[in-house]
Amino acid sequence: MVPGKKEGISGAEFLHDAVNHVDFTHPGGPATHREYKVDGQWTSSRTARATMAAPALAAVRAHVTGNIVSTLVKEACLLDAVVDAVVERVTPNWTWCPAPDVHQTFHVRTAFGAVTPELCDLAVHLIALRSAAEARLRQMTKLNVPEVTLITNANLATKKTTVFRISWNLVLAAGRGACIDALKKQPTRTPMISGPPSRDPANGEMNAIVGAKMLAADTGLSRLDAAGLIDLPGQSGKTFKASVGKSTFLDKPGDLHKAYNHLRFLLYVEWRAVDELMQ
């Protein structure tokens, strides 16, 4: 795995533009090489869903729909069960974000029949996506604001300062739960949202599905919502407000917005990766 460019935060080079290099060996034939860049070949691709619908992947899609979706739990990455169904990781102490000089070995499982080129491509796709998800999970400890301060009645004798700690693991789990519910309710095969949640309309679509449950999962975020400092359906692009009126103030609203967006995009990656492999 070759990291991309750094983007201000240590480890961020694994979030964007990282390239996964995989060599396949074939009995009686020459080795083949695959390169996969999640951002360029999946996140911004309009043809990814059609690629996953290839006839050679029909057995995988049936397995995901019939056996995996019903077992998903909000405490674990939604990709894990799908990856493990397709890939056997051989290297001990496997890491999802290896350094460029670290070589790891995996086998493509034969439970779905012959190991076709499409199945090999799927294995690379899933490993790359799981690596991207792992990079985002690692960034949680650097982006997620551990606590915020709320000031109410700032200009009055009754001024009150309250510090809230935020349980981001609970917030993430609640968002995953919403994604699992969406996966279980999709008989029409219409995507949950129209694209990556970076701008409207996908931004608002994603908020409508996961936002309320994510906020309700944490007491601090729920209190900020009650104070009018959170605006999920707003058009400003900023989920958290710095103030309401002249007497209610919140510190770190920009940092909170980055943390929320980071988790929301992680959820999008996990949901979409499973969704595209359903029948």
Side-chain angles (χ1 to χ4, degrees):
M1 185 178 188
V2 179
K5 60 183 180 296
K6 282 196 173 184
E7 299 189 1
I9 301 174
S10 175
E13 63 269 25
F14 288 107
L15 287 179
H16 306 289
D17 299 321
V19 182
N20 293 264
H21 292 264
V22 178
D23 290 307
F24 286 99
T25 58
H26 308 279
T32 56
H33 182 76
R34 302 279 201 285
E35 294 183 9
Y36 196 81
K37 192 174 183 178
V38 171
D39 280 353
Q41 293 173 252
W42 184 75
T43 304
S44 58
S45 171
R46 296 183 179 276
T47 62
R49 180 176 290 274
T51 300
M52 298 305 147
L57 300 179
V60 178
R61 293 166 60 81
H63 179 68
V64 172
T65 302
N67 301 310
I68 289 182
V69 171
S70 62
T71 67
L72 295 175
V73 294
K74 62 184 181 180
E75 292 79 16
C77 178
L78 302 184
L79 276 162
D80 287 349
V82 182
V83 173
D84 288 343
V86 175
V87 169
E88 176 191 1
R89 288 171 277 153
V90 177
T91 299
N93 302 315
W94 179 283
T95 177
W96 287 115
C97 296
D101 59 345
V102 173
H103 301 279
Q104 301 184 128
T105 301
F106 68 87
H107 294 158
V108 178
R109 296 189 186 276
T110 58
F112 304 108
V115 179
T116 61
E118 291 88 350
L119 197 59
C120 290
D121 286 341
L122 176 61
V124 176
H125 169 71
L126 291 174
I127 288 174
L129 284 182
R130 184 61 181 86
S131 297
E134 182 67 20
R136 287 192 174 274
L137 287 165
R138 293 181 183 187
Q139 292 305 312
M140 283 178 59
T141 58
K142 301 173 183 178
L143 283 175
N144 291 0
V145 182
E147 63 183 35
V148 294
T149 300
L150 173 65
I151 299 175
T152 54
N153 298 334
N155 305 315
L156 303 174
T158 54
K159 175 181 177 180
K160 183 178 180 181
T161 299
T162 308
V163 176
F164 297 118
R165 291 199 61 81
I166 300 175
S167 300
W168 289 104
N169 285 331
L170 294 179
V171 176
L172 175 58
R176 277 206 186 106
C179 290
I180 292 170
D181 289 342
L183 288 167
K184 291 178 177 179
K185 293 176 182 176
Q186 285 196 326
T188 63
R189 305 308 314 125
T190 300
M192 181 174 74
I193 67 174
S194 56
S198 304
R199 57 181 62 89
D200 283 328
N203 176 66
E205 293 167 355
M206 190 69 172
N207 278 345
I209 292 168
V210 304
K213 289 189 175 181
M214 290 174 75
L215 298 180
D218 177 76
T219 301
L221 293 181
S222 296
R223 293 282 296 275
L224 297 182
D225 193 22
L229 287 160
I230 298 179
D231 183 24
L232 283 176
Q235 299 301 311
S236 69
K238 298 294 184 182
T239 305
F240 296 87
K241 301 177 182 179
S243 62
V244 174
K246 298 181 179 179
S247 62
T248 301
F249 298 91
L250 170 68
D251 75 334
K252 308 173 186 173
D255 291 341
L256 282 171
H257 181 69
K258 291 176 183 177
Y260 171 74
N261 272 357
H262 181 79
L263 292 192
R264 190 179 61 172
F265 202 90
L266 169 62
L267 291 170
Y268 168 76
V269 169
E270 293 188 17
W271 160 79
R272 178 180 161 184
V274 177
D275 176 78
E276 287 177 342
L277 279 172
M278 293 175 63
Q279 290 181 331

